[in-house]
Amino acid sequence: MVTNDLTSPDFNFAFKQPPLSEIDYSQLYPSKSIRMPLVSLFADLSGYTKFIDEAVSKGSIQDAVRALFVIRQEFQNVAEADFGGRKVRFIGDCIHALVAEGSGKSTDEAKSVATATQCAAGFHASFDLCKSMLEGIESLELAVGLELGPTPISRIGIRGERSVRVASSKATSESEKMQRECNGGGVKIGPDALRVAPKGLIDVLGDQGYARDIDYDDVSASILATPTELSQPLYARAHVPAEPSQPRAHLAKK
């Protein structure tokens, strides 16, 4: 039987045709990794530490932990089922996800930024739904940062469930930085993503690529209003219901 030599000095990087939701991490390792232009998203719950401290003092830590698991699963469903993206990992109350649009040969950067921004707005729409259905999380806010750039995707460590998924690049670092700069909530896109963003998105996010209050309908309308190939269906169109204001049904299924 022929097995892969994980100690081989030969490294092969491959392009993955979108959607990234089809990535199989079990097939990746350092010498066989994906590397391609994509958009990295970091979504973090602002105020979560204080929220946990208050839950501990009130003796409701079980409800707080349950809420976290529901919210994180909701975000993963939004990224993967609605927008063809792929979760990298959860980091406490934060999710790191990747999104890309394109063909089997190249990434469409403008479409990728449009879809990722729509995904970020979808996180907010989904989080609002969570707030309406879960008690005690009213004080939490959501901050989402995203950035575009070439990024390797792989898996390191011991094979199986104990391995670690990784996606690390300038774009991933910058997306995390953008999330931290959201001042407690909103969406902010990095300079490289802002450079190729459709004009309609700039109208929503502003010249600095930041919006404290972001509306899913406004983002979707801005993309459809852009007079380019972006008016063609994105991956998300196969998942989002006809009414843009009701894109999230995951929580209701729990």
Side-chain angles (χ1 to χ4, degrees):
M1 182 178 73
V2 177
T3 59
N4 293 312
D5 181 6
L6 303 184
T7 65
S8 171
D10 295 326
F11 287 79
N12 297 304
F13 296 94
F15 180 88
K16 169 69 180 72
Q17 180 174 356
L20 300 186
S21 56
E22 296 176 354
I23 289 175
D24 183 354
Y25 284 105
S26 68
Q27 300 301 311
L28 301 178
Y29 43 87
S31 60
K32 182 184 178 184
S33 303
I34 296 169
R35 186 179 186 276
M36 59 184 289
L38 51 78
V39 179
S40 168
L41 298 97
F42 270 88
D44 179 73
L45 297 179
S46 301
Y48 186 73
T49 300
K50 181 180 179 181
F51 169 70
I52 287 295
D53 289 341
E54 292 177 351
V56 171
S57 66
K58 295 177 181 178
S60 59
I61 188 65
Q62 183 175 355
D63 291 337
V65 172
R66 173 182 175 275
L68 174 63
F69 275 87
V70 170
I71 293 169
R72 294 199 312 183
Q73 187 60 57
E74 183 71 4
F75 288 166
Q76 180 174 354
N77 287 337
V78 170
E80 297 183 347
D82 289 342
F83 295 97
R86 192 71 164 99
K87 182 200 82 175
V88 180
R89 62 188 182 276
F90 293 123
I91 310 166
D93 59 323
C94 176
I95 182 174
H96 182 202
L98 310 172
V99 170
E101 295 274 2
S103 66
K105 296 181 178 180
S106 63
T107 298
D108 187 319
E109 294 186 345
K111 279 190 177 183
S112 296
V113 172
T115 298
T117 307
Q118 200 173 18
C119 180
F123 283 158
H124 276 273
S126 187
F127 185 57
D128 288 342
L129 177 61
C130 290
K131 279 189 169 184
S132 72
M133 300 182 69
L134 298 173
E135 296 182 0
I137 65 170
E138 298 82 5
S139 63
L140 298 179
E141 298 293 341
L142 178 64
V144 186
L146 60 91
E147 179 59 305
L148 169 73
T151 299
I153 309 167
S154 193
R155 178 179 54 84
I156 60 176
I158 301 173
R159 277 185 173 271
E161 294 297 324
R162 297 176 63 186
S163 62
V164 179
R165 301 172 180 182
V166 293
S168 181
S169 65
K170 178 182 177 181
T172 61
S173 298
E174 193 69 15
S175 63
E176 185 177 13
K177 178 183 176 183
M178 294 299 101
Q179 170 262 306
R180 293 197 304 267
E181 292 181 0
C182 280
N183 299 318
V187 172
K188 186 170 184 179
I189 69 175
D192 289 337
L194 190 62
R195 173 178 52 83
V196 301
K199 182 181 182 302
L201 284 182
I202 304 302
D203 293 339
V204 173
L205 296 173
D207 293 339
Q208 301 303 310
Y210 172 70
R212 177 65 179 80
D213 298 309
I214 190 162
D215 182 81
Y216 180 84
D217 289 353
D218 290 344
V219 172
S220 298
S222 72
I223 292 172
L224 292 175
T226 302
T228 66
E229 291 181 357
L230 285 170
S231 60
Q232 299 299 316
L234 304 175
Y235 284 114
R237 300 301 175 199
H239 306 288
V240 178
E243 290 293 331
S245 60
Q246 301 293 329
R248 311 288 160 246
H250 309 296
L251 187 64
K253 297 177 181 178
K254 296 187 180 298

